[in-house]
Amino acid sequence: QVQLVESGGGLVQAGGSLRLSCAASGRTFSSYAVGWFRQAPGKEREFVAAISWSGAIYADSVKGRFTISRDNAKNTVYLQMNSLKAEDTATYYCAADEKGYGSRWFYRYDYWGQGTQVTVSS
């Protein structure tokens, strides 16, 4: 069992930066793939980025602006978000895939955090 806790959200002006953290419990977390998803009011959950043993993948909408990374010693995955836009406003969720593959599809993930709100003002 893995528990995930997101932090780092907040209010930022367009063009600014935030770093989200996803802290996990569980000794085997380093073998899990981790993804970030987001959901804006009235919209479907959307893939943002994922990291696995094979590397990182990104949604086209964030490529070049967001960077996903992990610190296995701290059991934490980060999402560095730069050049933020108003359309990045959403609740951001991290999720863990115990099979370790990493995917753009939310149904491939086994564990989810509660989310952290990111609001970008234009």
Side-chain angles (χ1 to χ4, degrees), residues 12-59:
V12 63
Q13 288 188 333
S17 298
L18 283 174
R19 188 178 77 160
L20 305 184
S21 298
C22 173
S25 63
R27 278 181 259 179
T28 59
F29 182 69
S30 60
S31 67
Y32 289 24
V34 175
W36 284 96
F37 292 77
R38 65 188 181 187
Q39 189 165 19
K43 294 190 176 181
E44 294 186 350
R45 186 168 18 186
E46 176 187 26
F47 169 77
V48 176
I51 189 166
S52 68
W53 61 269
S54 62
I57 56 174
Y58 297 92

Side-chain angles (χ1 to χ4, degrees), residues 18-19 32 47-48 56 61 84-85 97 99-100 109 122:
L18 283 174
R19 188 178 77 160
Y32 289 24
F47 169 77
V48 176
S61 59
L84 283 161
K85 305 175 182 180
D97 167 16
K99 295 175 289 300
Y109 290 83
S122 56

Side-chain angles (χ1 to χ4, degrees), residues 2-18:
V2 171
Q3 291 186 326
L4 305 174
V5 178
E6 303 96 334
S7 62
L11 173 64
V12 63
Q13 288 188 333
S17 298
L18 283 174

Side-chain angles (χ1 to χ4, degrees), residues 22-112:
C22 173
S25 63
R27 278 181 259 179
T28 59
F29 182 69
S30 60
S31 67
Y32 289 24
V34 175
W36 284 96
F37 292 77
R38 65 188 181 187
Q39 189 165 19
K43 294 190 176 181
E44 294 186 350
R45 186 168 18 186
E46 176 187 26
F47 169 77
V48 176
I51 189 166
S52 68
W53 61 269
S54 62
I57 56 174
Y58 297 92
D60 287 344
S61 59
V62 307
K63 202 172 293 183
R65 299 189 298 124
F66 291 10
T67 302
I68 189 170
S69 63
R70 70 191 305 162
D71 184 338
N72 289 331
K74 295 183 178 180
N75 267 9
T76 301
V77 171
Y78 303 99
L79 185 68
Q80 178 67 43
M81 306 187 296
N82 299 328
S83 303
L84 283 161
K85 305 175 182 180
E87 50 264 43
D88 294 319
T89 295
T91 301
Y92 283 70
Y93 300 90
C94 68
D97 167 16
E98 62 185 357
K99 295 175 289 300
Y101 296 129
S103 171
R104 300 173 182 270
W105 309 111
F106 69 89
Y107 55 81
R108 295 287 183 92
Y109 290 83
D110 305 292
Y111 306 100
W112 290 82

